[in-house]
Amino acid sequence: MLHRSFTHGSALTDDALLLDLAPALTVHGLDESPSFFRGFTTEPLMLTRALLTLVDITTSQYDKPSPIKLADPIVTASADRLRFECFSGCNSAQARLDVLDSAFEGGEISRGTTNVDLSYAARSTLTETPRDELLHVDIGTDDKRFSTLAPTHVERQVTMPPRWIRALGVATQWYRPLQPVFTAEASATRKLIAELPHGSIDHARQYWSVARGTVRISSKPKPGAVLIVDANRLCSVSRLLSQVKGMTVYATRDTEPNAVVVEFSLPNARLSIGLSAQSGIQFEMGSSFPMSLASPEAAEDADLVSAFLTFDSVIDINRLARISALPPHRVKSALTILSATGRLGWDLHENAYFHRELPDDQTKIDLDSPRVIAAKKLADSAAVESRADAFMVHSRSTPERKYRVKDGRCTCPWYQKFGNSRGPCKHVLAVQLVGSRKRR
C-alpha cells in the first residue's frame, strides 16, 4: 500500500455526512473501496464538532506557533465502535475519539483501519451546524452520493506522518501505568473548559484536583492532585462545551508521569486527549519497546498472536491464550511487541489493549525511537565494556568519556535528570542489547 489516496473528499450536506476513506486493511485483506458504516447517527452535533476538534489538534503546533501540513487521522472500525486518532503537529498531544455503536442506527459497523479525509475543504463543510435529529452517515465510498457533490474533485494523496507510527507505540507504553485519579461532573468540567488558557505555551505547571464537586487548580502540589503542564493543549475541547457530560483524569499516583490523559464523556462517545509531560516532549521521543531485545521465541509468538487479531475493540488475553495455545504470560509478551509497532493501542477506560492495523508500509519506517537507535550504535561500536560488578559505556563522540551502568542505573547526565521516568537511557539500553545478543 505504497500509494493511497482519497478519491472524493469528505463533505456535510443537508441530509448526510460523507467521510471519504483511503484504501483500508480489513479482516478480508486490502479493500480499495472500504465502507465502515452506512446508516444514521443520533448525535450529529457531537460527531461533527468532535471531528472538528480532531482537526484543530492535528493542525496545532503547541511548542511554537507556525504553519504545519495537515495530516489525515486514523480511523478503526471495531464492530461496536469507531475510533478516530491523531497527534498534534508537535506530537506532544494525542487525541482519540471513540464513537460507540449506540450513536448509530440503521446499519452495522464493519472491521478495519485506514485514514479518513478531514482536509481543509472538509473542515469548512463540517462547520455547518447539522440538525439535531437523525443524520445520514456514510463512512466510506458511496459513488452515487459523492458524484452529485464534487464531479471535478481532484484525487488527493493520503498524508500520515511516519512519526505517528513510532508515537503510537510510545503512547501505549506511556498510558499503561496510568490509573483514574479523579472524575468531575458536567458542570465542573464545562467550567474548567471555558477557563482553559489559549495562546502561546508558557510551560505553566498546574495541579488539578476535585473538591466538593469543583475542579480546583493550584500552582503547588497537594495530595490527590494531578500535574498538568501546558493546559492550553486541551483548549480545542471548547468546541464541545455544550456536549461534555464529565471527565476523568488518568495519571500515576506516586511519580511524575510521562503523560496524563484527560477523558471527556460525550453523548454515546468519549474523547481522550493524552498530553506528554510538556509541549516540548514528543510522543515519538519516548522509549518504546526495543525490538532488538525481543527473543526469537517472543517474536514468533507475536507473529502467531497477530494472526488471531480481528480489530477487536477490547483484546481478551485469556481468549488469545486459548486459541493460540500459548500461556498467558507469553501472550502478554507478544502483545508488548505488537504494541511497539503501533498495531495495538491502550484504552484506559476499558483497561485493555485494542487492535488497529497501520496501512502504511512499516518496512519503510524505522520504528525504534532515537534513543534506541543511539543505543544500537553504541552496541555495534563495541562501546560497552564489561567489568566485574558493572558495565562501562564509552561515549561515541568522546571515547575517553565513559558512564557506569549497573542494575538499570547510569551515571550519565540524562539519567541523573530523568532517572527511569522516561524509560532507560541509551547507555542502559546498549548494555541490554549487548546482553541480549550474547544470550542468543
Side-chain angles (χ1 to χ4, degrees):
M1 298 182 67
L2 297 180
H3 174 76
R4 298 188 305 126
S5 59
F6 300 111
T7 56
H8 301 289
S10 298
L12 177 64
T13 69
D14 290 339
D15 65 345
L17 172 63
L18 310 174
L19 296 180
D20 195 13
L21 300 181
L25 291 175
T26 72
V27 290
H28 305 295
L30 175 63
D31 188 340
E32 293 285 353
S33 301
S35 177
F36 282 0
F37 177 79
R38 185 168 297 167
F40 296 89
T41 177
T42 59
E43 307 292 347
L45 192 61
M46 178 279 296
L47 182 57
T48 53
R49 290 188 177 181
L51 291 175
L52 282 171
T53 301
L54 296 186
V55 176
D56 288 345
I57 291 171
T58 196
T59 55
S60 295
Q61 190 97 343
Y62 296 114
D63 56 345
K64 52 183 177 181
S66 60
I68 62 170
K69 188 176 182 180
L70 179 71
D72 299 306
I74 303 165
V75 58
T76 300
S78 297
D80 66 344
R81 73 194 67 186
L82 287 165
R83 280 190 169 100
F84 299 84
E85 300 177 272
C86 69
F87 287 90
S88 63
C90 57
N91 252 38
S92 74
Q94 185 203 19
R96 193 184 80 235
L97 171 66
D98 290 19
V99 186
L100 308 179
D101 56 0
S102 52
F104 299 106
E105 287 185 4
E108 293 184 356
I109 300 173
S110 61
R111 294 175 183 262
T113 306
T114 189
N115 295 91
V116 59
D117 171 58
L118 289 181
S119 63
Y120 292 113
R123 179 178 182 171
S124 65
T125 64
L126 286 173
T127 56
E128 299 294 328
T129 303
R131 57 188 181 181
D132 293 329
E133 50 198 62
L134 290 178
L135 177 71
H136 197 279
V137 174
D138 283 313
I139 301 176
T141 303
D142 185 339
D143 289 324
K144 182 178 179 180
R145 282 184 176 272
F146 277 120
S147 63
T148 64
L149 290 174
T152 61
H153 179 79
V154 178
E155 182 177 287
R156 183 176 73 84
Q157 192 166 354
V158 175
T159 302
M160 187 177 81
R163 68 177 186 271
W164 280 21
I165 296 179
R166 294 188 292 270
L168 288 169
V170 173
T172 298
Q173 182 187 15
W174 281 358
Y175 294 165
R176 285 201 62 192
L178 306 185
Q179 298 293 327
V181 178
F182 67 81
T183 60
E185 299 301 325
S187 59
T189 304
R190 291 174 183 173
K191 182 176 185 296
L192 175 72
I193 294 172
E195 296 174 352
L196 283 172
H198 291 68
S200 61
I201 289 292
D202 58 5
H203 300 308
R205 297 169 65 89
Q206 299 179 345
Y207 293 88
W208 291 8
S209 60
V210 168
R212 298 178 181 178
T214 302
V215 179
R216 303 291 176 88
I217 298 177
S218 171
S219 59
K220 296 181 180 180
K222 57 177 61 177
V226 174
L227 172 62
I228 304 288
V229 182
D230 303 331
N232 66 329
R233 289 181 286 173
L234 297 168
C235 64
S236 296
V237 185
S238 58
R239 284 187 179 275
L240 290 159
L241 188 61
S242 64
Q243 301 288 302
V244 169
K245 300 167 63 178
M247 75 174 182
T248 302
V249 177
Y250 298 85
T252 54
R253 296 178 181 272
D254 51 350
T255 59
E256 187 171 313
N258 293 313
V260 171
V261 174
V262 183
E263 177 190 276
F264 297 96
S265 176
L266 305 171
N268 297 307
R270 293 186 292 270
L271 175 64
S272 301
I273 300 182
L275 305 177
S276 65
Q278 63 185 48
S279 61
I281 299 175
Q282 303 174 16
F283 275 85
E284 65 174 316
M285 295 167 56
S287 58
S288 58
F289 179 83
M291 303 303 292
S292 303
L293 294 180
S295 67
E297 179 188 68
E300 291 174 3
D301 289 348
D303 286 339
L304 174 62
V305 168
S306 68
F308 298 108
L309 299 178
T310 55
F311 300 93
D312 298 313
S313 59
V314 176
I315 290 180
D316 185 336
I317 292 176
N318 291 328
R319 170 185 166 274
L320 284 178
R322 288 195 302 271
I323 61 179
S324 66
L326 294 174
H329 74 273
R330 285 177 59 179
V331 172
K332 291 179 181 178
S333 296
L335 295 178
T336 298
I337 294 175
L338 293 172
S339 69
T341 67
R343 297 177 64 187
L344 300 179
W346 185 257
D347 189 326
L348 285 161
H349 188 91
E350 305 285 1
N351 195 35
Y353 286 113
F354 65 88
H355 177 215
R356 70 165 87 84
E357 287 291 340
L358 297 175
D360 282 82
D361 186 1
Q362 294 187 45
T363 63
K364 304 295 183 182
I365 299 170
D366 192 337
L367 295 176
D368 285 327
S369 68
R371 205 182 317 157
V372 174
I373 294 171
K376 285 181 178 179
K377 292 179 179 178
L378 287 170
D380 294 340
S381 62
V384 178
E385 177 186 343
S386 179
R387 297 285 179 88
D389 62 340
F391 293 89
M392 302 302 295
V393 183
H394 295 257
S395 169
R396 292 183 69 243
S397 58
T398 313
E400 61 272 17
R401 183 183 302 157
K402 48 192 176 183
Y403 303 103
R404 186 173 184 269
V405 174
K406 182 179 180 180
D407 299 330
R409 299 173 179 270
C410 184
T411 58
C412 72
W414 194 92
Y415 184 87
Q416 301 308 309
K417 181 177 182 180
F418 299 113
N420 286 316
S421 65
R422 296 182 184 173
C425 68
K426 62 183 179 182
H427 308 104
V428 171
L429 284 172
V431 170
Q432 293 175 351
L433 284 168
V434 170
S436 175
R437 292 172 182 178
K438 286 182 178 179
R439 287 191 297 274
R440 293 180 190 178

